[in-house]
Amino acid sequence: MKTRITILLAALFMSFNFSFAQQDEECMNNLSIFDSYVKTKKYDDAYEPWKIVRNKCPKFNRAIYVHGEKILTHKIENSTGADQVAHINDLMLLYDQSRENFPSKYDEGEVLVDKANLAYKYREELNKTDEQLYNMFDSAYVKDAKNFTSAKGLYTYFSLAVDLFDAGKKPAQEMFDKYDDVNELIENLIAGYTTKLNTYAAKEEAGTLTKKEARYKSSYESNIEAFENQILGSMDKKLGDRANCEVLIPLYEKNYENNKNDGIWLQRAMNRMYAKGCKEDPLFLKLVQQKNSLEPSADTSYYLYLLTGEQKYFDQTLELEADPLKKARLYKKLANELKSKGSYSQARQYYMESMKLNPSDGSPYLSIAAMYAKSANNCGDSNFNKRAVFWLAALEAEKAGRVDGRLKSAAAKTAASYRASAPSKSDIFTEGNAGQTIRVGCWIGRSITVPNI
């Protein structure tokens, strides 16, 4: 059971059943006592009065479960042997009781994941096998996937699937399926946070974001960063060479006939082959064409575009994709492909389309800045004007940090490195053009004002 940041202590007490409180003064008094102890982190002193309220008045107030988790966690961390195991099992029971007595406040998936995380942390003390632990997480996924939101739990769930594969207890396909299951849950969580973030992007750029909104924005950015950079990255690292082309191609070739009419299998197979750089193999085209014949989608059209280079497939991609965040990713993905090929003008166009749909993602600004910097030597008619391109690059990089808090540090460092390559104050003095506007040519087609010195 995680203590939600939106729950304030005052709110807990406002939820008292006052008529019940009047009937049982003992529960009221002991609740007040253990609450006071918990606030000062005197968990051992809080234990006995908390037990009285928990046992006698389990529906009295949710503080029993919010504070109870802290009390029992303290007990677990400060005990050993049989006493520690008893406290662990008691916390497991408390998780169940929280949902039993306050079902509207504790989702089934949340409770099951909290129990699984606890069991995994103390797996040696509880003598839990990897199979038993995996089944605990799997129960949460099967029963209430939408409330399986624990970053730690999602990674552990997948990690155990890999360990069971390594032990010969799960086939490769099941391990890959679990990667996709967890990856889809994480993508949905990221999409939810991103949608919320986008409501703040314009305010951030305009400087009208309130302190409260800034806190929410920071929280959403932290969650996205945790899932994108830590959990997904750790999952890919854990999977490692178990999912390279040498493994995937024979596996999918072997299973193709049995699954060629299964849209989900085809989608996951082609996605994994693309992600692992196997798109040059004939099997990738075979998968894409088969999926496209069964269920044409934005993904299949995009892959056909990459394979054939035919514009009609990319137009079809955008036509079929209705989700703005997915469409933004498609634009960015295409822009990345074009950037890698040196088609900078087209890449910039698609990066800008991506930002219109997902304004809280600052990474396209960094990509545009990098293209400017790389083109500096080709987009100026003098040494000074060539180096002036780095001012443009710095300005683009700084935009990334303004709209996307996750990139603030990286954007600042990148912008500083570009400015270091731009003309110095002495260069501006020698040139005598402070405050003048320079038109940058070639594909960039932008203007930059020389700083005043």
PDB file of all heavy atoms in Angstrom, residues 369-395:
ATOM      1  N   ALA A 369      18.736  21.257 -32.793  1.00  0.00           N
ATOM      2  CA  ALA A 369      19.961  21.970 -32.422  1.00  0.00           C
ATOM      3  C   ALA A 369      21.192  21.226 -32.919  1.00  0.00           C
ATOM      4  O   ALA A 369      22.146  21.831 -33.442  1.00  0.00           O
ATOM      5  CB  ALA A 369      20.027  22.138 -30.901  1.00  0.00           C
ATOM      6  N   ALA A 370      21.183  19.902 -32.781  1.00  0.00           N
ATOM      7  CA  ALA A 370      22.324  19.093 -33.223  1.00  0.00           C
ATOM      8  C   ALA A 370      22.502  19.193 -34.740  1.00  0.00           C
ATOM      9  O   ALA A 370      23.643  19.251 -35.237  1.00  0.00           O
ATOM     10  CB  ALA A 370      22.125  17.642 -32.804  1.00  0.00           C
ATOM     11  N   MET A 371      21.386  19.222 -35.473  1.00  0.00           N
ATOM     12  CA  MET A 371      21.486  19.353 -36.938  1.00  0.00           C
ATOM     13  C   MET A 371      22.034  20.722 -37.324  1.00  0.00           C
ATOM     14  O   MET A 371      22.827  20.838 -38.252  1.00  0.00           O
ATOM     15  CB  MET A 371      20.113  19.106 -37.571  1.00  0.00           C
ATOM     16  CG  MET A 371      19.609  17.680 -37.428  1.00  0.00           C
ATOM     17  SD  MET A 371      18.147  17.292 -38.437  1.00  0.00           S
ATOM     18  CE  MET A 371      16.932  18.451 -37.798  1.00  0.00           C
ATOM     19  N   TYR A 372      21.607  21.770 -36.603  1.00  0.00           N
ATOM     20  CA  TYR A 372      22.157  23.099 -36.864  1.00  0.00           C
ATOM     21  C   TYR A 372      23.667  23.100 -36.660  1.00  0.00           C
ATOM     22  O   TYR A 372      24.435  23.600 -37.494  1.00  0.00           O
ATOM     23  CB  TYR A 372      21.520  24.134 -35.940  1.00  0.00           C
ATOM     24  CG  TYR A 372      20.091  24.520 -36.278  1.00  0.00           C
ATOM     25  CD1 TYR A 372      19.331  25.275 -35.388  1.00  0.00           C
ATOM     26  CD2 TYR A 372      19.501  24.152 -37.483  1.00  0.00           C
ATOM     27  CE1 TYR A 372      18.030  25.652 -35.678  1.00  0.00           C
ATOM     28  CE2 TYR A 372      18.201  24.515 -37.787  1.00  0.00           C
ATOM     29  CZ  TYR A 372      17.461  25.260 -36.880  1.00  0.00           C
ATOM     30  OH  TYR A 372      16.186  25.620 -37.179  1.00  0.00           O
ATOM     31  N   ALA A 373      24.070  22.552 -35.512  1.00  0.00           N
ATOM     32  CA  ALA A 373      25.498  22.564 -35.172  1.00  0.00           C
ATOM     33  C   ALA A 373      26.317  21.802 -36.212  1.00  0.00           C
ATOM     34  O   ALA A 373      27.411  22.233 -36.609  1.00  0.00           O
ATOM     35  CB  ALA A 373      25.698  21.965 -33.789  1.00  0.00           C
ATOM     36  N   LYS A 374      25.783  20.685 -36.676  1.00  0.00           N
ATOM     37  CA  LYS A 374      26.518  19.864 -37.635  1.00  0.00           C
ATOM     38  C   LYS A 374      26.596  20.540 -39.004  1.00  0.00           C
ATOM     39  O   LYS A 374      27.492  20.259 -39.803  1.00  0.00           O
ATOM     40  CB  LYS A 374      25.860  18.492 -37.765  1.00  0.00           C
ATOM     41  CG  LYS A 374      26.760  17.452 -38.402  1.00  0.00           C
ATOM     42  CD  LYS A 374      26.253  16.051 -38.151  1.00  0.00           C
ATOM     43  CE  LYS A 374      27.252  15.027 -38.700  1.00  0.00           C
ATOM     44  NZ  LYS A 374      26.785  13.645 -38.483  1.00  0.00           N
ATOM     45  N   SER A 375      25.640  21.437 -39.274  1.00  0.00           N
ATOM     46  CA  SER A 375      25.592  22.107 -40.577  1.00  0.00           C
ATOM     47  C   SER A 375      26.313  23.446 -40.587  1.00  0.00           C
ATOM     48  O   SER A 375      26.342  24.124 -41.622  1.00  0.00           O
ATOM     49  CB  SER A 375      24.135  22.325 -40.994  1.00  0.00           C
ATOM     50  OG  SER A 375      23.431  21.105 -41.061  1.00  0.00           O
ATOM     51  N   ALA A 376      26.863  23.843 -39.453  1.00  0.00           N
ATOM     52  CA  ALA A 376      27.431  25.194 -39.329  1.00  0.00           C
ATOM     53  C   ALA A 376      28.442  25.506 -40.421  1.00  0.00           C
ATOM     54  O   ALA A 376      28.447  26.600 -41.000  1.00  0.00           O
ATOM     55  CB  ALA A 376      28.069  25.369 -37.949  1.00  0.00           C
ATOM     56  N   ASN A 377      29.274  24.562 -40.735  1.00  0.00           N
ATOM     57  CA  ASN A 377      30.341  24.827 -41.704  1.00  0.00           C
ATOM     58  C   ASN A 377      29.818  24.972 -43.127  1.00  0.00           C
ATOM     59  O   ASN A 377      30.508  25.517 -43.989  1.00  0.00           O
ATOM     60  CB  ASN A 377      31.381  23.701 -41.651  1.00  0.00           C
ATOM     61  CG  ASN A 377      32.711  24.128 -42.225  1.00  0.00           C
ATOM     62  OD1 ASN A 377      33.205  25.210 -41.901  1.00  0.00           O
ATOM     63  ND2 ASN A 377      33.281  23.297 -43.079  1.00  0.00           N
ATOM     64  N   ASN A 378      28.600  24.508 -43.352  1.00  0.00           N
ATOM     65  CA  ASN A 378      28.047  24.537 -44.712  1.00  0.00           C
ATOM     66  C   ASN A 378      26.992  25.615 -44.910  1.00  0.00           C
ATOM     67  O   ASN A 378      26.480  25.789 -46.021  1.00  0.00           O
ATOM     68  CB  ASN A 378      27.420  23.175 -45.057  1.00  0.00           C
ATOM     69  CG  ASN A 378      28.416  22.046 -44.959  1.00  0.00           C
ATOM     70  OD1 ASN A 378      29.551  22.176 -45.404  1.00  0.00           O
ATOM     71  ND2 ASN A 378      27.990  20.925 -44.372  1.00  0.00           N
ATOM     72  N   CYS A 379      26.640  26.316 -43.859  1.00  0.00           N
ATOM     73  CA  CYS A 379      25.502  27.235 -43.946  1.00  0.00           C
ATOM     74  C   CYS A 379      25.869  28.683 -43.632  1.00  0.00           C
ATOM     75  O   CYS A 379      25.081  29.419 -43.057  1.00  0.00           O
ATOM     76  CB  CYS A 379      24.389  26.757 -43.019  1.00  0.00           C
ATOM     77  SG  CYS A 379      23.646  25.191 -43.521  1.00  0.00           S
ATOM     78  N   GLY A 380      27.049  29.088 -43.982  1.00  0.00           N
ATOM     79  CA  GLY A 380      27.447  30.479 -43.789  1.00  0.00           C
ATOM     80  C   GLY A 380      28.413  30.910 -44.878  1.00  0.00           C
ATOM     81  O   GLY A 380      29.157  30.079 -45.417  1.00  0.00           O
ATOM     82  N   ASP A 381      28.422  32.188 -45.198  1.00  0.00           N
ATOM     83  CA  ASP A 381      29.279  32.676 -46.281  1.00  0.00           C
ATOM     84  C   ASP A 381      30.582  33.283 -45.773  1.00  0.00           C
ATOM     85  O   ASP A 381      31.379  33.832 -46.539  1.00  0.00           O
ATOM     86  CB  ASP A 381      28.526  33.697 -47.137  1.00  0.00           C
ATOM     87  CG  ASP A 381      27.961  34.839 -46.305  1.00  0.00           C
ATOM     88  OD1 ASP A 381      28.271  34.906 -45.091  1.00  0.00           O
ATOM     89  OD2 ASP A 381      27.203  35.656 -46.863  1.00  0.00           O
ATOM     90  N   SER A 382      30.785  33.223 -44.468  1.00  0.00           N
ATOM     91  CA  SER A 382      32.052  33.693 -43.884  1.00  0.00           C
ATOM     92  C   SER A 382      32.296  32.880 -42.626  1.00  0.00           C
ATOM     93  O   SER A 382      31.389  32.221 -42.102  1.00  0.00           O
ATOM     94  CB  SER A 382      31.976  35.183 -43.527  1.00  0.00           C
ATOM     95  OG  SER A 382      31.070  35.392 -42.457  1.00  0.00           O
ATOM     96  N   ASN A 383      33.524  32.955 -42.131  1.00  0.00           N
ATOM     97  CA  ASN A 383      33.841  32.200 -40.920  1.00  0.00           C
ATOM     98  C   ASN A 383      32.969  32.642 -39.751  1.00  0.00           C
ATOM     99  O   ASN A 383      32.468  31.826 -38.973  1.00  0.00           O
ATOM    100  CB  ASN A 383      35.318  32.365 -40.572  1.00  0.00           C
ATOM    101  CG  ASN A 383      35.701  31.544 -39.349  1.00  0.00           C
ATOM    102  OD1 ASN A 383      35.542  30.326 -39.347  1.00  0.00           O
ATOM    103  ND2 ASN A 383      36.197  32.202 -38.310  1.00  0.00           N
ATOM    104  N   PHE A 384      32.771  33.972 -39.637  1.00  0.00           N
ATOM    105  CA  PHE A 384      31.944  34.501 -38.547  1.00  0.00           C
ATOM    106  C   PHE A 384      30.514  33.974 -38.667  1.00  0.00           C
ATOM    107  O   PHE A 384      29.923  33.503 -37.690  1.00  0.00           O
ATOM    108  CB  PHE A 384      31.945  36.031 -38.580  1.00  0.00           C
ATOM    109  CG  PHE A 384      31.218  36.664 -37.420  1.00  0.00           C
ATOM    110  CD1 PHE A 384      31.911  37.077 -36.288  1.00  0.00           C
ATOM    111  CD2 PHE A 384      29.833  36.839 -37.454  1.00  0.00           C
ATOM    112  CE1 PHE A 384      31.242  37.651 -35.204  1.00  0.00           C
ATOM    113  CE2 PHE A 384      29.155  37.405 -36.382  1.00  0.00           C
ATOM    114  CZ  PHE A 384      29.863  37.813 -35.257  1.00  0.00           C
ATOM    115  N   ASN A 385      29.949  34.048 -39.865  1.00  0.00           N
ATOM    116  CA  ASN A 385      28.565  33.640 -40.066  1.00  0.00           C
ATOM    117  C   ASN A 385      28.378  32.128 -39.897  1.00  0.00           C
ATOM    118  O   ASN A 385      27.318  31.668 -39.451  1.00  0.00           O
ATOM    119  CB  ASN A 385      28.078  34.085 -41.446  1.00  0.00           C
ATOM    120  CG  ASN A 385      27.863  35.585 -41.515  1.00  0.00           C
ATOM    121  OD1 ASN A 385      28.022  36.290 -40.514  1.00  0.00           O
ATOM    122  ND2 ASN A 385      27.511  36.089 -42.693  1.00  0.00           N
ATOM    123  N   LYS A 386      29.396  31.385 -40.239  1.00  0.00           N
ATOM    124  CA  LYS A 386      29.332  29.936 -40.018  1.00  0.00           C
ATOM    125  C   LYS A 386      29.258  29.646 -38.523  1.00  0.00           C
ATOM    126  O   LYS A 386      28.457  28.836 -38.062  1.00  0.00           O
ATOM    127  CB  LYS A 386      30.552  29.250 -40.627  1.00  0.00           C
ATOM    128  CG  LYS A 386      30.531  29.209 -42.156  1.00  0.00           C
ATOM    129  CD  LYS A 386      31.806  28.583 -42.704  1.00  0.00           C
ATOM    130  CE  LYS A 386      31.764  28.549 -44.234  1.00  0.00           C
ATOM    131  NZ  LYS A 386      32.994  27.962 -44.823  1.00  0.00           N
ATOM    132  N   ARG A 387      30.103  30.315 -37.769  1.00  0.00           N
ATOM    133  CA  ARG A 387      30.112  30.095 -36.316  1.00  0.00           C
ATOM    134  C   ARG A 387      28.861  30.672 -35.652  1.00  0.00           C
ATOM    135  O   ARG A 387      28.448  30.215 -34.577  1.00  0.00           O
ATOM    136  CB  ARG A 387      31.380  30.693 -35.717  1.00  0.00           C
ATOM    137  CG  ARG A 387      32.643  29.936 -36.140  1.00  0.00           C
ATOM    138  CD  ARG A 387      33.887  30.657 -35.691  1.00  0.00           C
ATOM    139  NE  ARG A 387      33.919  30.822 -34.236  1.00  0.00           N
ATOM    140  CZ  ARG A 387      34.662  31.721 -33.613  1.00  0.00           C
ATOM    141  NH1 ARG A 387      35.408  32.562 -34.312  1.00  0.00           N
ATOM    142  NH2 ARG A 387      34.635  31.797 -32.293  1.00  0.00           N
ATOM    143  N   ALA A 388      28.226  31.651 -36.283  1.00  0.00           N
ATOM    144  CA  ALA A 388      26.986  32.227 -35.739  1.00  0.00           C
ATOM    145  C   ALA A 388      25.867  31.201 -35.689  1.00  0.00           C
ATOM    146  O   ALA A 388      24.921  31.325 -34.897  1.00  0.00           O
ATOM    147  CB  ALA A 388      26.559  33.425 -36.578  1.00  0.00           C
ATOM    148  N   VAL A 389      25.979  30.173 -36.514  1.00  0.00           N
ATOM    149  CA  VAL A 389      24.967  29.105 -36.512  1.00  0.00           C
ATOM    150  C   VAL A 389      24.882  28.450 -35.129  1.00  0.00           C
ATOM    151  O   VAL A 389      23.818  27.988 -34.707  1.00  0.00           O
ATOM    152  CB  VAL A 389      25.291  28.054 -37.602  1.00  0.00           C
ATOM    153  CG1 VAL A 389      24.326  26.878 -37.520  1.00  0.00           C
ATOM    154  CG2 VAL A 389      25.222  28.691 -38.983  1.00  0.00           C
ATOM    155  N   PHE A 390      25.989  28.454 -34.396  1.00  0.00           N
ATOM    156  CA  PHE A 390      25.981  27.843 -33.071  1.00  0.00           C
ATOM    157  C   PHE A 390      25.084  28.615 -32.097  1.00  0.00           C
ATOM    158  O   PHE A 390      24.594  28.051 -31.117  1.00  0.00           O
ATOM    159  CB  PHE A 390      27.403  27.713 -32.516  1.00  0.00           C
ATOM    160  CG  PHE A 390      28.200  26.636 -33.194  1.00  0.00           C
ATOM    161  CD1 PHE A 390      29.150  26.949 -34.149  1.00  0.00           C
ATOM    162  CD2 PHE A 390      27.979  25.305 -32.883  1.00  0.00           C
ATOM    163  CE1 PHE A 390      29.884  25.957 -34.780  1.00  0.00           C
ATOM    164  CE2 PHE A 390      28.694  24.294 -33.497  1.00  0.00           C
ATOM    165  CZ  PHE A 390      29.661  24.619 -34.473  1.00  0.00           C
ATOM    166  N   TRP A 391      24.866  29.918 -32.344  1.00  0.00           N
ATOM    167  CA  TRP A 391      23.896  30.646 -31.522  1.00  0.00           C
ATOM    168  C   TRP A 391      22.485  30.083 -31.747  1.00  0.00           C
ATOM    169  O   TRP A 391      21.717  29.935 -30.814  1.00  0.00           O
ATOM    170  CB  TRP A 391      23.924  32.135 -31.865  1.00  0.00           C
ATOM    171  CG  TRP A 391      25.070  32.888 -31.268  1.00  0.00           C
ATOM    172  CD1 TRP A 391      25.618  32.717 -30.020  1.00  0.00           C
ATOM    173  CD2 TRP A 391      25.820  33.941 -31.889  1.00  0.00           C
ATOM    174  NE1 TRP A 391      26.644  33.598 -29.823  1.00  0.00           N
ATOM    175  CE2 TRP A 391      26.790  34.370 -30.942  1.00  0.00           C
ATOM    176  CE3 TRP A 391      25.760  34.572 -33.130  1.00  0.00           C
ATOM    177  CZ2 TRP A 391      27.690  35.404 -31.208  1.00  0.00           C
ATOM    178  CZ3 TRP A 391      26.660  35.602 -33.398  1.00  0.00           C
ATOM    179  CH2 TRP A 391      27.620  36.005 -32.452  1.00  0.00           C
ATOM    180  N   LEU A 392      22.182  29.823 -32.999  1.00  0.00           N
ATOM    181  CA  LEU A 392      20.877  29.214 -33.314  1.00  0.00           C
ATOM    182  C   LEU A 392      20.737  27.868 -32.622  1.00  0.00           C
ATOM    183  O   LEU A 392      19.686  27.544 -32.048  1.00  0.00           O
ATOM    184  CB  LEU A 392      20.743  29.011 -34.831  1.00  0.00           C
ATOM    185  CG  LEU A 392      20.213  30.158 -35.680  1.00  0.00           C
ATOM    186  CD1 LEU A 392      20.241  29.762 -37.146  1.00  0.00           C
ATOM    187  CD2 LEU A 392      18.802  30.533 -35.266  1.00  0.00           C
ATOM    188  N   ALA A 393      21.793  27.071 -32.689  1.00  0.00           N
ATOM    189  CA  ALA A 393      21.772  25.749 -32.057  1.00  0.00           C
ATOM    190  C   ALA A 393      21.547  25.881 -30.550  1.00  0.00           C
ATOM    191  O   ALA A 393      20.763  25.121 -29.950  1.00  0.00           O
ATOM    192  CB  ALA A 393      23.075  25.007 -32.339  1.00  0.00           C
ATOM    193  N   ALA A 394      22.220  26.862 -29.926  1.00  0.00           N
ATOM    194  CA  ALA A 394      22.065  27.067 -28.484  1.00  0.00           C
ATOM    195  C   ALA A 394      20.640  27.460 -28.125  1.00  0.00           C
ATOM    196  O   ALA A 394      20.080  26.977 -27.132  1.00  0.00           O
ATOM    197  CB  ALA A 394      23.050  28.129 -28.009  1.00  0.00           C
ATOM    198  N   LEU A 395      20.051  28.330 -28.931  1.00  0.00           N
ATOM    199  CA  LEU A 395      18.674  28.763 -28.667  1.00  0.00           C
ATOM    200  C   LEU A 395      17.702  27.599 -28.745  1.00  0.00           C
ATOM    201  O   LEU A 395      16.775  27.485 -27.931  1.00  0.00           O
ATOM    202  CB  LEU A 395      18.273  29.864 -29.658  1.00  0.00           C
ATOM    203  CG  LEU A 395      18.967  31.218 -29.485  1.00  0.00           C
ATOM    204  CD1 LEU A 395      18.608  32.150 -30.643  1.00  0.00           C
ATOM    205  CD2 LEU A 395      18.578  31.861 -28.149  1.00  0.00           C
TER     206      LEU A 395
END
